[in-house]
Amino acid sequence: LRTGRAALNGGVLGLSGRRGADGALTARVTLGDVRYRLDFGVSAVVDGDLRLELPPAGRGALTGAVVLRRALLARDIDLDREVLRRFFSPVTTTGTETGLLDTIDLDVALSTVDGVKVKNNVADLALAWEPLAVGGTAWNPTVKGRVEVAPGGLVYAYGQTVTIDAG
């Protein structure tokens, strides 16, 4: 594949790549106004420019930037079944064998234009951030940075309402 362009979820997906004489694979993916559904039912619109490099031996890398133009979490959440279960479930341990995703290092900046709006049975608030650094590996990503909650946001839980004064 040298280059390609396709419509994806109301946006544009661009692909390009090549395999070098040494067997190294290089690919580039561009996203423009692509609609995507994330975990917990978050509806998002994203732009991005990502580059994947896979050498014939050693570690690969996924680098670039993703811009979350806007996102909305409007789906109601059952705190007991969906959130608390994650905190109290047993820790999943990984095996000693590594897969392909363990060998791809991440260096991706995640920024936002309009942030994330949460409007459901648990909250009515807006989140925003300066670029977050996504690192780690494709199997075990890490996110570093600070997410701000806009003042005036509301959180509802177990019959209580909390107003966010500063985030």
Side-chain angles (χ1 to χ4, degrees), residues 29 38 46 48 64 80 101-102 120 124 147 157 162:
V29 175
L38 305 169
V46 298
D80 294 330
L101 296 179
D102 289 313
N120 59 19
D124 184 0
V147 176
V162 176

Side-chain angles (χ1 to χ4, degrees), residues 40-57:
F40 286 108
V42 176
S43 299
V45 178
V46 298
D47 294 332
D49 189 355
L50 299 169
R51 183 177 174 97
L52 176 65
E53 296 180 5
L54 296 173

Side-chain angles (χ1 to χ4, degrees), residues 94-110:
T94 58
T96 57
E97 187 174 333
T98 61
L100 175 64
L101 296 179
D102 289 313
T103 66
I104 300 174
D105 296 320
L106 301 177
D107 183 11
V108 177
L110 175 62

Side-chain angles (χ1 to χ4, degrees), residues 103-121:
T103 66
I104 300 174
D105 296 320
L106 301 177
D107 183 11
V108 177
L110 175 62
S111 58
T112 184
V113 175
D114 291 331
V116 176
K117 176 74 175 155
V118 179
K119 187 162 183 66
N120 59 19
N121 65 313

Side-chain angles (χ1 to χ4, degrees), residues 74-96:
R75 182 180 70 80
D76 284 351
I77 295 174
D78 184 326
L79 288 176
D80 294 330
R81 290 187 180 168
E82 297 181 63
V83 178
L84 294 179
R85 182 181 295 169
R86 289 183 183 249
F87 289 114
F88 297 116
S89 62
V91 176
T92 304
T93 57
T94 58
T96 57

